Structures are given as structure tokens and as C-alpha cells.
Amino acid sequence: MGNADYVYPSTNVERAPRVAIPPPQSSVKSLKYNLKETFFPDDPLRQFKNQTTSRRFVLGLKYFFPIFDWAPSYTLDFLKSDFIAGITIASLAIPQGISYAKLANLPPILGLYSSFIPPLVYAMMGSSRDLAVGTVAVASLLTASMLGNVVNVNENPKLYLHLAFTATFVAGVFQASLGLLRLGFIVDFLSHATIIGFMAGAATVVIMQQLKGILGLNHFTHSTDLVSVMRSVFTQTHQWRWESAVLGFGFLFFLLTTRYFSKRKPKYFWVSAMAPLTSVILGSLLVYLTHAEKHGVQVIGNLKKGLNPLSFTDLVFVSPYLTTAIKTGIITGVIALAEGIAVGRSFAMFKNYHIDGNKEMIAFGTMNIVGSCTSCYLTTGPFSRSAVNYNAGCKTAVSNIVMALAVMVTLLLLTPLFHYTPLVVLSSIIISAMLGLLDYEAAIHLWTVDKFDFIVCMSAYAGVVFASVEIGLVIAVAISVLRLLLFVARPKTFILGNIPNSMIYRNVEQYLNTSSVPGVLILEIDAPIYFANSGYLRERIARWVDDEEDKLKSSGKTSLQYVILNMGAVGTIDTSGISMLEEVKKVMDRRGLKLVMANPGAEVMKKLNKAKFIEKIGQEWIHLTVGEAVEACDFMLHTCSPGPLKEGSEAYNKV
């Protein structure tokens, strides 16, 4: 039986420092603070305080165009490093650009266009020194998959091309809007485990799609799932071209060998970086000298000279195609943002500098908007190209300018040289790049550290490989959001015990040498209390109390008298949470137990005070620390004796 009907005398314990209630704050000021913490956690406007109008204009220009910030201090030594890095990544960007454009079912020349204008825009607006801009395999595959479901590229290539430009424009507007509206946290819903699984699944799908080029097949399924691809491959065994297969596997072996060598000898990174362009040159020479195109080896064909033609008038904003363009643009835009920002932050961490995620979104969005108007499709900062840029010793974004100029020279003078480039070489280049995304070590690490993250990862992988890229992405995001909801709806609660010879109270499951306090149950709530978890917490607290009473009853020890809630981890509480505490207090009163609170934060105290809950529980039963709360309860247990029970009271009825 508890002590709800006890009469407590005044004691010295009550003179201990009480938990303060924050002073009243205007609603406008509170709203302003909350908006700032939500949308401006990095306080980007700080630099504009106490500045003249002209100075603010200059700072604003530097904010949106970081090139004006670092360009005045640019040196000749930086130029040497950036020039070498730019030429190196250009040797990778040219063959990759052509390959990824083919993967997106777009004209190969678009891969070169997309490696010219967007890098120039990013060099002016991007905040990363190491990111190398260009097309990526996953976005290319998504473009082909999503647009291909609506428009047949063989029957209507012009409409397909225009939809690709429109999707790129939509992606750019979406990316820039996220940055301008400070909504970058939306991208964080793609967890690390989700990205690993999705990228690995997309890489597997891309590799399977390259079997068409490796085997020299003319007709191939437009589906991306494993079953459809395997059926398409093995129902056409009579059309396999051994010449194409020999070339493909030969160049794939060459590319993988150079990559292995560069990993073992990092100072020879350029060997792996130059391997794709070397493969293109060797493959073109081989086809030209042996006339292999007449024996089933498919080649790129003519690539027209000249720089990017304008494509603004080609954008499609009419039904029913606009819906497809919007859906494709948003999905590919999110994937491109997630990859680009993750890559940029990784290399920024290595060099100990900071990049602004929202500024990066504005830069990505602007370069894709401009790109869509200049015959480019979606670009971002791919890991493989950025890694080469980093290893080549780049100092600033000028390496992107050098790469763009190298591509410009190629567009103006060298495109005829790609006429005899075999498609099988492009397939080998893509497969080689995609194998690097099959990060099995990361999956093993997820299994070791967090089984649920591993499930998320494998669900994303399976969804992409066995269904489609879009379904895999939806499954991965849905499971990630489900886990987030579980964290919110099912927060951790645990019993605290006293560490011997101290006033410290910790989780009894973590610290096995802790001791319980007779007659006192100490619980910690390890999360904010919202409408989503208030019902669960009410039931969970009741179960803790039931379990504790059963344990004390079976052991014959002192009956339970006090329940202390440690609120230190409860950052905030809503009205549903307050109602839950009121219900818990009523339940405790009915059971003859006293509810005590310890270490509530300012936000919690402010709301509890406005809700009059402090009056209901009593200010003397809210303590600064768990130790003080235990001392107060222990004092009452040893000095107070129960008064007569009132007839009709809950405690009386229980007896």
C-alpha cells in the first residue's frame, strides 16, 4: 500500500533549490526562435549583422557566388595543381559522359554537353573544392527507366529528348527551391543504409543492362528487374556475338587491373583515371584497323561538332507528359542531391573545411536549370570523378573549369575521332565504375552494428534488383520513415539504479552493480513526449510499476511508495504529453503512490506551468536532480508515518 493519504510535515528537504520556471516569452519571439532553429541552424545571416548596405551586397554576392570569395587569393601554385587535376578528370569525364548518355538512352553527344556547361556554373556557385561535376549512372538509369515507361525512345526520340531536358529543368528548380527555402533536411530522410542499398541495387541493375553491349545484342528488354534482364539475355543466345564479348571482357579486365593497381599504389592514381580514355582510344583503333564494325561490333557513329545548342524552347510543359517530367525530375533530383552533398561533405571532412548543404543545393539546382536550357541532362558530383579530382591534388573548383575547357576543345575539334568507338568499350567502362558501388564491406558493417539498418539496406537493394529502381527507392524510404516513426512512437524507458558510493543514477541494464532504492522506482524517459508516443508511455510506465510491485511483493521487501520520472532527456512536450502525465498522476494517486519528477527542462517546465500541472503535482515534488528526488523520498519514508486512512478513499478501498 502506498502513501497517497499520508500527511507530510514541513522538512528541510523542501528548502532545497527548486526547478525554475522560465520567464514568460512572447509568442512572436518563440515562433521566431523555432523557425530559426528549423530553417537556419547554421545562422547564415550572422555575417550581415552591423554591416553597411554596400558591404551586405558584397557579402551576399560572395554567399551565392563563392568564387568571388576565394578568387582574389588564387595563386599560380593553385593553378598548376588545378590544371593537372582538371586534365585528369577530363580524361575520365569524356568517356564516362558518352557512356552514361547511352545508358540514359540519349544521344552520346549529350554526355559531352553535360560535362561542359554545368561544371562552369558549379565552379562559380559551389562551395566544395573537390567535387567534380558530371553525369552519373544512377540518375541516367532512372531517366531511362521512368521516361521509357511513357515514351518509346525508338519510336519518338525527339519527344524523349525533350522530356529529358524538361525533367532536368524540374530537378534543377526543385533542388534550388530546397536550398532557397532552407529545406535541405528533407534529403536527410535518405539514411546512410538506404543510400548504400539503393546505390548497390542500382549498380547491379546498370551492370545487368550492359550485357546488351557486351554480348552485342540489338534488341533488349526495357525492364530493369533481374528476371526480365536474364530472360532477355538467355532467350537470345543465338544472337550473342563472340567478337563483342571478347572485346568487352578484355577491356573490363584492363580497367579492373588498373583500378587494383592504383589502389595498391595510391601515388599512381592517374593510371586508373586514364584507363577509360585509353580504352576508348585503343578500342577505336582496333575497330578502325580490323573493320570490326562489319562483324557485329557496334560503334557510336557520327558525333556532330560544336558547342551546346540552346534547348529552352524544347522544354515540354503540356499534359500528359508534364506529370512524367515532374515525377522524374523530383526523384532524380533527390538522388543527385543525396549523392552530391554526401560526396562533397566526405572530401570536405578530409581537408578540414566546411560546405553549406543549402548553398550546394542552390548550386546544383542552378547548374541543372542552366543545363536543361543548353542541351544537358541531369548532373551532380559523382564519387568516382570527385575521388580522381581529390587524388590529383585539386585546390579549388578551377579544376572543373579546366575540365570544361578540355571538353570544349573535344566538342569543337575531336568528336569525329569517336566515330569508331565500340559500344562494348562504353559498357565495360560503365561496369567497371559500377562495381565500385557494390560496397559489401559497408553492408557487413551495418549487420555488425545495427541489424535494422542492414534490413533497410537489403530491402532497398532487393527492391531495385527484383522490382524497379523507383520501387526500390520507395521501399527504402518507407522503411527508413517507419523506423523514424518507431523511434518517435516507441521511445526508450528504463529503470535507474544508484551507483555505489555516489549520487549518480544510471540504467540498471547497463551498470549491473547499481542498487535499487527501497520503496522508490526511478524511471527515465529517453525522448521528447509527443502525441505519437504519449499513449505508449502511459502504458509503459504502468507496466514498470506493475513489474516493480510484483517483484517487491515476491521478495517481501518494502512496498512501493514513490515513482520518480527523470525528465532530463525530454526536450519538449506537447498537450497530449501533458494529458498523459495528468493521467499517470491520477493512476498513481488511485494506487496510493506518489509521482515525483526530476530534472525537467525549460521548455517542459514552461508548458507544465501553463497547463497548471505543477499545481496539481506540487512544486515540492519537482526536483533538480534524481539524487535530490531520491533524498526527498527517502526522508519521507524514514520520518513520516501514515495517518489514518479516510473512509471511502482509494487507499481505504484497496485494503
Side-chain angles (χ1 to χ4, degrees):
M1 182 178 64
N3 55 7
D5 297 300
Y6 289 8
V7 179
Y8 301 107
S10 177
T11 69
N12 291 332
V13 175
E14 293 184 11
R15 289 198 289 269
R18 291 184 175 181
V19 178
I21 300 172
Q25 197 175 56
S26 68
S27 299
V28 174
K29 187 176 180 181
S30 179
L31 178 63
K32 183 179 178 181
Y33 174 81
N34 289 331
L35 289 175
K36 179 181 178 182
E37 291 303 305
T38 302
F39 298 107
F40 301 94
D42 54 342
D43 197 12
L45 302 179
R46 183 185 184 89
Q47 58 181 326
F48 296 95
K49 292 179 181 177
N50 304 320
Q51 300 291 341
T52 62
T53 303
S54 59
R55 180 59 182 165
R56 287 179 179 176
F57 175 78
V58 172
L59 291 173
L61 195 64
K62 289 181 178 180
Y63 180 82
F64 287 104
F65 297 93
I67 191 171
F68 291 115
D69 189 24
W70 53 262
S73 59
Y74 197 73
T75 65
L76 184 60
D77 288 336
F78 282 4
L79 179 60
K80 291 177 181 177
S81 299
D82 287 335
F83 182 80
I84 294 172
I87 294 298
T88 305
I89 57 175
S91 67
L92 181 63
I94 292 170
Q96 275 193 349
I98 295 172
S99 304
Y100 294 158
K102 289 291 292 180
L103 180 61
N105 290 329
L106 295 169
I109 193 67
L110 258 68
L112 296 181
Y113 290 162
S114 302
S115 297
F116 173 45
I117 297 295
L120 294 176
V121 176
Y122 183 81
M124 292 187 292
M125 301 187 66
S127 57
S128 173
R129 305 170 195 167
D130 304 281
L131 212 63
V133 171
T135 56
V136 288
V138 175
S140 300
L141 176 67
L142 275 169
T143 300
S145 174
M146 300 183 73
L147 296 184
N149 290 332
V150 178
V151 178
N152 190 313
V153 66
N154 297 317
E155 296 175 0
N156 202 339
K158 188 174 181 180
L159 176 59
Y160 183 91
L161 177 64
H162 293 175
L163 280 178
F165 293 151
T166 309
T168 302
F169 178 82
V170 171
V173 171
F174 179 71
Q175 291 170 333
S177 300
L178 288 181
L180 289 170
L181 298 175
R182 313 290 294 179
L183 297 175
F185 59 85
I186 291 177
V187 180
D188 294 335
F189 280 97
L190 289 174
S191 65
H192 178 62
T194 301
I195 293 174
I196 290 174
F198 177 78
M199 289 297 184
T204 303
V205 168
V206 170
I207 290 171
M208 292 189 302
Q209 289 288 321
Q210 300 319 301
L211 293 175
K212 175 185 177 182
I214 293 290
L215 299 175
L217 299 175
N218 293 315
H219 304 287
F220 205 70
T221 179
H222 293 292
S223 301
T224 59
D225 63 282
L226 178 65
V227 176
S228 298
V229 172
M230 290 296 100
R231 183 186 297 118
S232 184
V233 168
F234 288 104
T235 55
Q236 302 184 74
T237 53
H238 58 286
Q239 295 184 14
W240 291 4
R241 298 281 185 174
W242 67 267
E243 301 94 340
S244 182
V246 169
L247 269 179
F249 287 113
F251 280 110
L252 181 59
F253 177 77
F254 169 70
L255 291 166
L256 294 178
T257 302
T258 56
R259 175 187 290 179
Y260 177 78
F261 175 76
S262 294
K263 282 187 175 181
R264 294 294 299 271
K265 306 283 186 180
K267 66 178 180 179
Y268 294 106
F269 68 91
W270 53 269
V271 174
S272 177
M274 297 293 290
L277 185 59
T278 304
S279 298
V280 168
I281 295 171
L282 292 176
S284 301
L285 286 174
L286 187 61
V287 170
Y288 177 76
L289 295 174
T290 62
H291 302 287
E293 76 278 11
K294 298 178 181 179
H295 300 281
V297 177
Q298 302 173 25
V299 296
I300 290 178
N302 291 323
L303 293 179
K304 61 180 181 179
K305 285 185 180 181
L307 301 180
N308 304 33
L310 296 178
S311 57
F312 179 75
T313 56
D314 296 334
L315 301 181
V316 180
F317 296 112
V318 296
S319 181
Y321 302 113
L322 180 59
T323 303
T324 301
I326 291 175
K327 184 173 73 169
T328 305
I330 290 176
I331 292 178
T332 56
V334 169
I335 295 299
L337 273 183
E339 181 174 359
I341 292 177
V343 171
R345 285 175 175 169
S346 298
F347 289 111
M349 180 181 65
F350 293 150
K351 288 190 176 180
N352 196 28
Y353 68 92
H354 173 72
I355 64 170
D356 186 329
N358 288 295
K359 286 170 66 176
E360 287 294 280
M361 291 180 184
I362 296 172
F364 286 153
T366 305
M367 76 181 185
N368 281 314
I369 292 172
V370 174
S372 68
C373 299
T374 53
S375 300
C376 304
Y377 78 105
L378 190 73
T379 53
T380 185
F383 177 79
S384 58
R385 205 174 300 181
S386 300
V388 170
N389 194 32
Y390 173 83
N391 290 326
C394 69
K395 300 298 182 183
T396 67
V398 169
S399 59
N400 277 290
I401 298 176
V402 174
M403 177 189 71
L405 294 177
V407 173
M408 181 188 73
V409 172
T410 303
L411 286 168
L412 292 174
L413 303 174
L414 305 178
T415 50
L417 298 179
F418 294 97
H419 181 280
Y420 289 101
T421 300
L423 295 183
V424 67
V425 170
L426 302 183
S427 296
S428 299
I429 292 171
I430 292 175
I431 292 174
S432 173
M434 291 301 97
L435 288 174
L437 294 179
L438 297 174
D439 196 350
Y440 64 91
E441 292 181 349
I444 294 173
H445 179 71
L446 290 176
W447 172 261
T448 304
V449 176
D450 192 320
K451 301 296 188 293
F452 197 100
D453 268 349
F454 178 79
I455 293 173
V456 171
C457 175
M458 296 311 297
S459 298
Y461 179 83
V464 172
V465 172
F466 293 102
S468 69
V469 177
E470 305 97 286
I471 291 176
L473 181 61
V474 169
I475 290 174
V477 173
I479 294 178
S480 295
V481 172
L482 175 62
R483 187 181 193 189
L484 179 64
L485 293 176
L486 287 175
F487 279 141
V488 174
R490 295 294 182 266
K492 295 290 185 182
T493 60
F494 41 83
I495 297 177
L496 301 183
N498 177 242
I499 294 180
N501 303 317
S502 74
M503 290 292 290
I504 300 173
Y505 292 83
R506 291 292 183 266
N507 186 352
V508 296
E509 294 181 357
Q510 182 180 2
Y511 297 88
L512 302 181
N513 63 332
T514 55
S515 58
S516 60
V517 181
V520 180
L521 174 63
I522 311 168
L523 300 176
E524 178 164 334
I525 301 174
D526 200 25
I529 304 176
Y530 296 117
F531 65 93
N533 61 26
S534 58
Y536 166 78
L537 287 173
R538 180 181 60 249
E539 301 300 329
R540 192 67 187 93
I541 292 170
R543 280 198 288 133
W544 280 125
V545 172
D546 289 339
D547 293 343
E548 184 69 11
E549 287 190 327
D550 290 343
K551 185 173 74 172
L552 292 174
K553 186 184 240 184
S554 62
S555 63
K557 294 182 180 178
T558 306
S559 62
L560 185 61
Q561 303 284 327
Y562 297 93
V563 177
I564 300 174
L565 295 183
N566 181 15
M567 309 284 283
V570 182
T572 187
I573 190 171
D574 66 359
T575 53
S576 298
I578 295 172
S579 298
M580 182 274 291
L581 290 179
E582 291 174 343
E583 290 178 30
V584 169
K585 183 185 182 305
K586 290 178 182 177
V587 171
M588 296 298 112
D589 289 344
R590 286 198 298 269
R591 301 177 67 158
L593 304 175
K594 188 65 185 178
L595 182 65
V596 184
M597 295 174 61
N599 195 24
E603 184 73 12
V604 174
M605 283 297 291
K606 180 174 68 176
K607 291 186 178 180
L608 293 182
N609 182 55
K610 289 182 178 180
K612 309 296 183 184
F613 181 77
I614 293 178
E615 295 179 9
K616 296 175 183 177
I617 193 175
Q619 177 80 42
E620 68 275 13
W621 294 111
I622 302 177
H623 297 272
L624 284 170
T625 66
V626 174
E628 289 182 5
V630 172
E631 277 190 345
C633 295
D634 193 52
F635 182 86
M636 293 295 185
L637 284 171
H638 288 86
T639 60
C640 301
S641 58
L645 295 177
K646 301 174 184 177
E647 185 174 355
S649 69
E650 293 291 339
Y652 182 91
N653 292 333
K654 287 175 68 177
V655 175

